[in-house]
Amino acid sequence: MATVTLLACTPEPEKLVAAAAKLCYSPSSIETIREGLTEEKTSSFVQMLAEIGHESPIEHASFTFGIEGVSRSFLAQITRHRIASYSVQSQRYVAEDSFAYVVPPEIEAIPEAKEEFLAAMREDQAHYERLTALLKEKHREELLREGKTEKEADRAAEKRAIEDARFVLPNACETKMVCTFNARSLLNFFSHRCCNRAQWEIRDVACQMLALVREAAPHIFEKAGPPCLRGACPEGKMTCGKAAEVRRKFGGEV
């Protein structure tokens, strides 16, 4: 399953946000905006921003995560959140020999479904390896004719081969990434992806991320999570109908 690590974040993120907000609402100079920002006053500034909906100062705080054990399907979802930065392990440059994969819990729970899934993964691996070998041999011969040494031809041929062989790999194929969000983008991310209606894999990652940033910046993320924590569910007829349960979950441990 997915593992999320908070690799880095803005030092004293809430104090930085409070300093930026203080500059907006007082005659303070750049040299003095951090003066007097006790923990109490910092909390007060952050709370005020939430109450009046002034979210731009929150963008000055950023958080960088390491995420591993997730599928390429997850990758397609998280990169829809465009105000973020992503570095993903490449299938073009990294060969997927005996590739790892994510098994959905619903498939894991049914022995026959799991057996079918594992058979598909073995078949995909066999096709990937066969395609890689066929393409590598073709490219190797071409490169040798161009005057490359055997070592140079082997290295370049493999890179060219896996570039096309990867097309047979499944959405289940595991990947890993480093991603950076500013705090405002994270609040939006948590609103969408901690919701019960979010797909299970990205919801799990989002909840792990929220638990980590709550430790680093508890006031900024105090009310973070699905929209039903802050009012009525906006999903209408598509609501999960479990708002009370969700509120209990996010009011305590994420």
Side-chain angles (χ1 to χ4, degrees):
M1 297 299 288
T3 301
V4 182
T5 304
L6 181 60
L7 297 176
C9 68
T10 301
E12 297 184 295
E14 295 186 327
K15 185 170 285 189
L16 176 62
V17 169
K22 181 180 177 181
L23 185 68
C24 295
Y25 298 106
S26 76
S28 299
S29 67
I30 295 297
E31 291 78 11
T32 63
I33 55 173
R34 288 177 291 184
E35 291 179 1
L37 283 178
T38 62
E39 185 174 343
E40 183 179 356
K41 288 186 177 179
T42 295
S43 172
S44 178
F45 265 114
V46 172
Q47 184 177 7
M48 177 198 71
L49 294 174
E51 289 173 351
I52 66 177
H54 184 190
E55 296 182 330
S56 59
I58 299 173
E59 295 176 14
H60 295 295
S62 66
F63 300 81
T64 298
F65 304 89
I67 303 174
E68 56 188 339
V70 290
S71 68
R72 303 293 291 195
S73 178
F74 168 89
L75 174 62
Q77 294 184 79
I78 195 170
T79 50
R80 292 177 65 188
H81 296 270
R82 294 181 294 277
I83 306 178
S85 301
Y86 303 96
S87 298
V88 183
Q89 189 172 75
S90 173
Q91 290 181 330
R92 184 182 180 193
Y93 295 107
V94 179
E96 293 286 4
D97 301 321
S98 301
F99 69 84
Y101 46 82
V102 175
V103 182
E106 293 292 337
I107 292 178
E108 182 80 46
I110 303 172
E112 295 85 354
K114 182 178 180 182
E115 182 179 347
E116 184 71 22
F117 184 88
L118 296 181
M121 295 302 103
R122 289 192 295 269
E123 185 175 337
D124 284 345
Q125 181 71 62
H127 287 310
Y128 176 80
E129 291 173 358
R130 179 61 176 156
L131 285 169
T132 298
L134 291 169
L135 290 165
K136 182 177 178 180
E137 183 58 29
K138 172 183 179 292
H139 293 312
R140 183 177 181 278
E141 290 176 2
E142 291 174 348
L143 291 163
L144 288 172
R145 284 197 298 270
E146 292 172 6
K148 300 288 186 184
T149 66
E150 288 200 9
K151 184 176 181 180
E152 290 171 338
D154 282 341
R155 186 186 306 115
E158 181 172 11
K159 287 183 178 179
R160 291 186 188 181
I162 64 175
E163 180 174 345
D164 289 331
R166 63 180 169 151
F167 277 72
V168 78
L169 293 172
N171 269 341
C173 192
E174 253 190 33
T175 190
K176 58 192 72 173
M177 69 191 70
V178 172
C179 57
T180 300
F181 290 75
N182 71 55
R184 187 180 188 182
S185 293
L186 275 175
L187 289 172
N188 175 266
F189 176 74
F190 295 144
S191 183
H192 289 285
R193 301 303 186 171
C194 290
C195 173
N196 274 354
R197 293 201 63 247
Q199 187 261 354
W200 63 269
E201 189 177 21
I202 199 167
R203 185 173 67 246
D204 170 54
V205 170
C207 288
Q208 289 189 55
M209 291 167 65
L210 177 51
L212 292 169
V213 297
R214 274 186 170 174
E215 292 182 11
H219 301 299
I220 292 176
F221 297 104
E222 181 181 5
K223 297 181 180 179
C228 62
L229 300 182
R230 301 174 291 278
C233 174
E235 296 290 337
K237 292 181 180 180
M238 301 186 77
T239 180
C240 72
K242 300 178 180 179
E245 179 183 320
V246 172
R247 288 167 188 152
R248 285 194 298 272
K249 173 183 176 180
F250 287 91
E253 294 295 322
V254 176

